[in-house]
Amino acid sequence: MNKTELVAEIAAKSGLSKKNAQLALESFIATVEDQLKKGNKVQLVGFGTFEVAERAAREGRNPATGAKMKIKASKAPKFKAGQSLKDAVNKKKKK
């Protein structure tokens, strides 16, 4: 599913116009991005948590030449699925 298909699905399920559904989706993405840039996490209970993971500097190898190279420390966005989402994907029923 791409962004256009997601917007159409959101519009169909929510009763919003496609334009408003796209605005809502883009606002959600921008808000999550802004919070992660600030070092905050965004937790949607039952769905999951968006957060930033710190990656330490390390030594790697160039796959083409096999030469050693240094990989800088970095930050990476991470998503951890919530239990309700895991259950839905695995088709478990709520108790």
Side-chain angles (χ1 to χ4, degrees), residues 10-81:
I10 291 170
K13 287 187 177 184
S14 67
L16 295 171
S17 67
K18 285 186 182 180
K19 183 177 181 180
N20 285 339
Q22 182 171 353
L23 247 162
L25 178 60
E26 288 173 356
S27 297
F28 171 76
I29 291 168
T31 302
V32 170
E33 188 177 296
D34 290 343
Q35 291 303 309
L36 293 179
K37 283 181 188 175
K38 293 177 184 176
N40 299 327
K41 69 179 179 178
V42 177
Q43 185 173 9
L44 304 171
V45 176
F47 183 73
T49 304
F50 297 90
E51 57 190 331
V52 177
E54 301 277 340
R55 291 186 174 167
R58 61 195 188 280
E59 191 173 274
R61 291 195 177 270
N62 180 329
T65 64
K68 289 183 180 180
M69 58 188 279
K70 293 190 181 213
I71 301 171
K72 295 179 186 177
S74 64
K75 295 178 182 178
K78 172 172 110 170
F79 176 76
K80 181 178 178 190

